């Protein structure tokens, strides 16, 4: 990751919501203990002490500092009936022109829209305000049905939990899925979800111990490269297929075959991020059989082909040709 995106400036102005502002600072402000890579350098930028909800925030520097940041975070505004503050809009526009990656959380999208950064792009905001955003800025393709939209250097999210998803998405872009999941665990939030509601990386085994499938799920994870049927799983668990399906719904919230497919996709994601293996090799290791099958399921589940995913989410210099993915041993 370049030094640019690691310099994060969180914009602050009166009327911002404290939740999104604090969330951005929490995600990017300090690395989890287990992370051993250069982390983000975060500053809060505003021209004066600002009121965020019921809290008074003292910025580290002025709004002009946004133009020197690699990543600019614009938290949510409490009031979107009026135009965003002109000084904030101008500072965000200047940061974008200087090459910054600009990110809005929730109704922070109205600032990006006022700055003209969303013209001709797909974007989102809190569902309660998508109609207003679309009406006020008709050149924006407002999508009310997604968690967030990544246009490369301009990103927007829906509200609250989706804003956290976008922050974790940025960590994933910059550092890869393993580190993003460490951050998610520290914050005690679900693993990273893709903008279109799909889950990029799901928990392979439920966190709680003592459930009915506690022995079966790790057994299946070690055999993802092998053909596994519902009958195979039921036999290993010493259950009927009907009882197995019932336990899967109770423990994992899905069917046995859907759970298996999710874990196979996850295995493919890990290998795309951490090895130089071909798509054919990854398809075999993930139990997909052929590259064609992997590409079909991967595109449908994740929304992009495997090759695109590898280019987008692989950390720099992470290639470990021939290495086995975590949990891939037999």
């Amino acid at each position: 990751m370049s030094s640019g995106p690691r310099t994060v400036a969180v914009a602050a102005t009166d009327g911002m919501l404290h939740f999104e502002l604090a969330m951005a600072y929490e995600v990017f402000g300090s690395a989890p203990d287990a992370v051993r890579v250069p982390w983000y350098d975060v500053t809060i930028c505003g021209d004066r002490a600002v009121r965020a909800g019921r809290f008074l925030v003292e910025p580290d520097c002025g709004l002009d500092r946004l133009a020197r940041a690699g990543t600019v975070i614009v938290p949510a505004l409490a009031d979107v009936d009026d135009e965003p503050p002109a000084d904030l809009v101008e500072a965000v526009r200047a940061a974008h022109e200087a090459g910054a990656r600009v990110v809005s959380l929730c109704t922070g999208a109205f600032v990006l829209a006022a700055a003209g950064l969303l013209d001709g792009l797909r974007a989102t905001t809190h569902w309660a305000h998508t109609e207003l955003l679309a009406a006020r800025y008709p050149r924006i393709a407002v999508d009310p049905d997604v968690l967030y939209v990544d246009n490369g250097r301009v990103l927007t999210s829906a509200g609250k939990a989706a804003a956290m998803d976008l922050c974790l998405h940025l960590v994933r872009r910059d550092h890869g899925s393993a580190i993003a999941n460490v951050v998610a665990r520290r914050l005690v939030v679900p693993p990273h979800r893709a903008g279109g509601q799909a889950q990029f990386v799901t928990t392979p085994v439920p966190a709680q111990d003592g459930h009915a499938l506690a022995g079966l799920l790790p057994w299946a994870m070690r055999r993802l490269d092998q053909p596994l049927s519902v009958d195979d799983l039921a036999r290993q668990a010493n259950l009927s297929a009907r009882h197995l399906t019932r336990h899967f719904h109770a423990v994992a919230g899905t069917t046995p075959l859907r759970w298996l497919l999710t874990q196979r996709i996850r295995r493919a994601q890990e290998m795309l991020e951490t090895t130089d293996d071909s798509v054919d090799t990854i398809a075999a290791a993930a139990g997909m059989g052929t590259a064609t099958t992997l590409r079909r399921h991967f595109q449908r589940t994740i929304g992009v082909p495997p090759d695109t995913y590898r280019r987008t989410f692989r950390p720099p210099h992470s290639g470990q040709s021939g290495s086995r993915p975590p949990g891939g041993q037999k």
Side-chain angles (χ1 to χ4, degrees), residues 198-199 257-258 260-262 264-266 268-269 283 286-306:
Q199 189 101 5
L257 291 182
R258 175 57 59 181
L260 270 175
L261 177 61
T262 299
R264 295 187 196 283
I265 294 292
R266 180 182 183 273
Q269 288 175 285
M288 294 288 192
T290 67
T292 300
T293 301
L294 172 60
R295 287 190 174 98
R296 182 174 69 251
H297 286 296
F298 203 93
Q299 174 82 45
R300 185 175 62 191
T301 303
I302 304 303
V304 295

Side-chain angles (χ1 to χ4, degrees), residues 11 21 44 62 81 91 99 115 145 155 165 172-173 175 199 220 273 290 298 323:
L21 194 156
I44 296 179
D81 291 333
D145 299 321
L155 303 91
D165 288 321
R172 186 186 186 93
R173 267 183 53 170
H175 293 292
Q199 189 101 5
E273 293 180 14
T290 67
F298 203 93
S323 65

Side-chain angles (χ1 to χ4, degrees), residues 16 31 39 66 72 79 209 230 244 264 276 297:
M16 281 189 163
W39 203 241
L66 297 184
V72 171
D79 183 7
D209 296 324
V230 173
L244 177 77
R264 295 187 196 283
D276 293 323
H297 286 296

Side-chain angles (χ1 to χ4, degrees), residues 26-47:
E26 179 65 24
V27 171
F28 301 108
S30 60
D33 292 339
V35 172
R36 296 291 183 267
V37 297
W39 203 241
Y40 302 92
D41 179 16
V42 181
T43 56
I44 296 179
C45 301
D47 289 333

Side-chain angles (χ1 to χ4, degrees), residues 305-325:
D307 293 333
T308 300
Y309 181 90
R310 172 175 264 167
R311 288 194 301 270
T312 304
F313 292 117
R314 184 170 180 171
H317 312 301
S318 65
Q320 299 174 4
S321 181
S323 65
R324 298 190 63 83

Side-chain angles (χ1 to χ4, degrees), residues 139-158:
R139 297 184 62 185
I140 302 172
V142 178
D143 190 338
D145 299 321
V146 296
L147 297 176
Y148 57 83
V149 177
D150 182 346
N151 289 299
R153 283 185 51 223
V154 179
L155 303 91
T156 57
S157 84

